[in-house]
Amino acid sequence: MAERQEQQQVASDGDAAEWKQVAELRAVTQAQDPSCKEEEDYTLRRFLRARDHNIGKASAMLLKYLKWKPTAKPHGAIPASEVAREVAQAKLCLQGYDREGRPLIYGFGARHHPARRDLEEFKRYVVHVLDATVARLPPPGPGRQEKFAAVADLKGWGYANCDIRGYLAALDIMQSYYPERLGRVFLVHVPYVFMAAWKIVYPFIDDNTKKKFVFVADKDLDRTLREAIDDSQLAEIYGGKLKLVEPAADDSN
């Protein structure tokens, strides 16, 4: 019944030729990994779009994801209690939505301390955050939002916060296993020293993803954020009405 409902939904959503390619992608991938049967058509469409509708490349990407998924998330999700040290730093707040209905992540780069982090735990934390953010999206369906947005605040960021290995690991997870999920990132209060780290990371960002990072000058901050985010969803620190709440490390979600 659920499978038939999904077929009815996708039939009314978008380009028929694209959905035909999705079916081809499923057939090619499922022949090599039967677990593909459990993935939604909308998931396959994101992988297809991430590889510019090249079925061979999309299938290779999807097969990598199917192999990664049960290993990275053997219980289906990573609870906050398993990444408690990362959660306790309160560097990411998953609250609010932008004007396009994308769930927001408010991030604070100066709260990240690589000298005290375990890289494997950090990678699990990234998966935890991405899954929690995706869970705030509506169920898949015609015309429904599939992406999230973020405000990355780098006020106070210095060399002690610089974590190239961590940045690249997070980027790889997002691009490889959560394709077409990122909608926009506003980088605000960016110090000059951060640009040295950005120049190292930038070549590893997919071309389609690069344009989603927007550096916002302080003089344009208020206008830019208010154009993108309603006052009720904009954090108080940027003049909005949303009170950010630090996440709890004992949260089971």
Side-chain angles (χ1 to χ4, degrees):
M1 179 67 176
E3 183 177 350
R4 186 161 60 250
Q5 287 178 334
E6 183 182 4
Q7 290 173 345
Q8 292 172 344
Q9 286 179 336
V10 300
S12 63
D13 183 20
D15 186 354
E18 184 178 51
W19 287 118
K20 183 179 179 180
Q21 286 185 305
V22 168
E24 292 176 18
L25 173 60
R26 181 179 295 281
V28 169
T29 307
Q30 199 165 306
Q32 299 177 70
D33 189 335
S35 68
C36 181
K37 183 179 180 180
E38 306 302 320
E39 301 298 328
E40 297 174 332
D41 281 345
Y42 286 94
T43 298
L44 269 64
R45 185 173 71 168
R46 287 192 296 274
F47 279 86
L48 183 66
R49 288 177 172 178
R51 289 297 176 262
D52 297 321
H53 296 85
N54 182 305
I55 292 176
K57 291 181 179 180
S59 180
M61 185 184 190
L62 185 55
L63 285 167
K64 180 182 176 183
Y65 164 78
L66 294 171
K67 182 178 181 180
W68 167 86
K69 186 178 178 181
T71 303
K73 301 184 287 184
H75 305 296
I78 297 175
S81 58
E82 288 189 14
V83 288
R85 287 185 299 180
E86 293 292 332
V87 173
Q89 295 175 39
K91 53 191 159 192
L92 298 177
C93 296
L94 316 185
Q95 292 176 247
Y97 291 80
D98 71 4
R99 294 186 186 275
E100 295 186 33
R102 297 179 293 204
L104 286 167
I105 300 175
Y106 286 96
F108 303 93
R111 297 180 184 177
H112 179 66
H113 303 286
R116 302 203 297 265
R117 71 107 174 90
D118 174 81
L119 185 59
E120 291 306 311
E121 181 182 1
F122 177 70
K123 290 194 284 188
R124 291 196 301 274
Y125 173 66
V126 171
V127 173
H128 164 76
V129 167
L130 289 172
D131 282 345
T133 302
V134 168
R136 296 163 59 205
L137 286 161
R144 294 179 181 173
Q145 185 58 257
E146 297 182 74
K147 301 177 185 291
F148 69 90
V151 177
D153 194 325
L154 296 169
K155 186 175 183 178
W157 186 96
Y159 289 119
N161 308 113
C162 184
D163 186 9
I164 300 300
R165 290 184 68 195
Y167 299 156
L168 293 178
L171 184 65
D172 180 61
I173 290 169
M174 185 181 69
Q175 293 186 153
S176 298
Y177 309 123
Y178 297 83
E180 295 297 305
R181 284 299 195 186
L182 179 64
R184 183 66 56 87
V185 179
F186 294 107
L187 294 103
V188 306
H189 298 142
V190 181
Y192 181 75
V193 292
F194 175 77
M195 299 313 296
W198 179 252
K199 288 179 180 178
I200 296 174
V201 173
Y202 188 76
F204 293 91
I205 305 175
D206 290 341
D207 288 340
N208 290 336
T209 304
K210 287 175 179 176
K211 60 188 177 184
K212 298 176 182 179
F213 288 87
V214 179
F215 284 84
V216 183
D218 287 350
K219 65 182 178 63
D220 300 323
L221 181 60
D222 185 72
R223 175 184 56 81
T224 301
L225 292 185
R226 289 184 183 278
E227 285 179 354
I229 307 169
D230 184 79
D231 195 52
S232 65
Q233 305 297 304
L234 184 62
E236 290 178 335
I237 55 174
Y238 306 117
K241 297 180 179 178
L242 181 67
K243 183 177 179 60
L244 295 182
V245 179
E246 294 186 1
D250 60 351
D251 183 3
S252 61
N253 295 320

